[in-house]
Structure formats: C-alpha cells, structure tokens
Amino acid sequence: MQRATSIVRKAAVKADKVIDQVSLDHEGRHRRRITLTGEKGTAFLLDLEKTATLNDGDAVMLEDGALILVKAAPQTLIEIKAENPMRLLKTAWHIGNRHTPAEITADAIYIEEDHVLAKMIRGLDCAMATVSRPFQPERGAYHDHSHGDHGHDHHHGHNHGHSHDHHQHDHAHDHSHDHKHR
C-alpha cells in the first residue's frame, strides 16, 4: 500500500497528477494517520508527520508523486439565519465564545449539530434549519485547532483547557472545549 506523506494545497494541485479523490467530512479532514480508499479504489495510508487540516480542493501526494484530491463531503449541519445582520452578528459572538467551529457566510452561520447550541440559538431568536452540505469552518486567528501533537505555540498570553474524547491538553483559560473526534 502506498503512503501519502505530504499535502499539496489547492492552488498548487495539478489536475494531470490527480489519480483519485476522497470525500471526507470536517472531522475526517483533520488527520495525521489513517488508511483511506479513494472513489476509484486507490488504497493508501495517509501518514503525515503531524495532524493537519485538509481543505476542500487540497490533495495528498503518494510516494510515486500521484495525487489524491480531497473533497469536503456533505454532512448534517445547523443553518442559522436571523432577521437582521446585528442579530446574526451577536449569535456569531455567542457561538465563538463557546469555541465552536463555525462556517460564516454573508447571510448564515453553519455549525455541526449540537442540541445545547440549538437551544441557545432558539433563545437568541434566530431561525434554524437542518441542512446537508460540506462544512468548511473558519480557521482560528491564533492557531489551527487541528489537534495534532498538541504542541501549539500560543503567543496570546493565556491558556485554555481542552477536553476531548481521547486526549487532553491544557492552554490556560478557565473554560473548556468539547470537540467530537471519530
């Protein structure tokens, strides 16, 4: 089985080198090591040095130089809309305060299904709908929450504790994040 040990970002992907593609949801695009099979049957081991975020349109390079294109797979999300931009902006602030991955568009916010957040959003008088679409949340301004080796380099003067299903790391705020990992 071939190994893929590097990422080629979307802007540098050469279509003539692409031999297959994989469709992965948001969590599936945050990986270091996993065996995958492309839609055309190409089996390979993704074997990156550290966990990385694979974005829609990026590719991973196999040992022989061939590329496997990465597509963002549709997944079930909550679409949040508001009657005016200010209400949507305030809702975005509350979601961000929870350190929840969110995709922000001109007229909606998209988050992964979460019954606690859904209750909060209803309390903020926003409209919600369940939709199926690729999820491409904003990346953190200070650091990418790719949860790799957890050797994050924080230069913003505080720490925050993360609680995960399979590991923990500390950074020093007084609140925790819950992230779903599969």
Side-chain angles (χ1 to χ4, degrees):
M1 177 180 301
Q2 285 206 71
R3 290 174 48 229
T5 58
S6 63
I7 299 170
V8 178
R9 295 298 177 190
K10 183 177 183 174
V13 172
K14 293 184 172 40
D16 62 328
K17 295 274 193 181
V18 174
I19 63 165
D20 208 338
Q21 77 175 28
V22 291
S23 293
L24 303 169
D25 67 9
H26 174 245
E27 289 294 328
R29 294 191 319 272
H30 294 275
R31 296 285 182 194
R32 185 190 85 72
R33 186 178 167 105
I34 189 171
T35 300
L36 296 167
T37 302
E39 294 172 9
K40 294 179 182 176
T42 307
F44 64 98
L45 173 65
L46 179 65
D47 192 13
L48 302 174
E49 184 176 314
K50 60 184 179 179
T51 301
T53 301
L54 300 167
N55 297 310
D56 184 66
D58 288 346
V60 293
M61 183 180 294
L62 301 175
E63 294 167 304
D64 66 3
L67 300 178
I68 306 291
L69 188 65
V70 176
K71 299 301 290 178
Q75 63 188 94
T76 302
L77 301 172
I78 296 174
E79 177 186 68
I80 305 159
K81 293 192 173 188
E83 63 191 33
N84 63 61
M86 183 58 79
R87 186 174 308 271
L88 194 60
L89 185 60
K90 286 180 179 182
T91 301
W93 183 88
H94 284 283
I95 290 168
N97 195 42
R98 297 286 305 260
H99 292 263
T100 298
E103 181 177 350
I104 300 169
T105 67
D107 63 347
I109 301 168
Y110 297 91
I111 62 171
E112 292 176 300
E113 287 187 301
D114 181 312
H115 70 280
V116 173
L117 289 177
K119 183 177 178 181
M120 177 190 77
I121 292 160
R122 278 191 294 278
L124 294 168
D125 292 326
C126 287
M128 289 185 305
T130 301
V131 298
S132 180
R133 66 188 296 277
F135 185 44
Q136 299 180 86
E138 298 295 318
R139 298 177 85 173
Y142 291 115
H143 61 279
D144 177 14
H145 261 169
S146 60
H147 299 105
D149 60 82
H150 295 93
H152 299 316
D153 205 8
H154 289 280
H155 299 291
H156 49 283
H158 63 273
N159 294 316
H160 45 283
H162 289 268
S163 172
H164 302 285
D165 294 336
H166 64 281
H167 60 272
Q168 291 188 337
H169 63 282
D170 285 83
H171 297 264
H173 289 316
D174 292 323
H175 58 272
S176 65
H177 311 283
D178 289 312
H179 300 280
K180 297 174 191 163
H181 290 275
R182 296 181 187 130

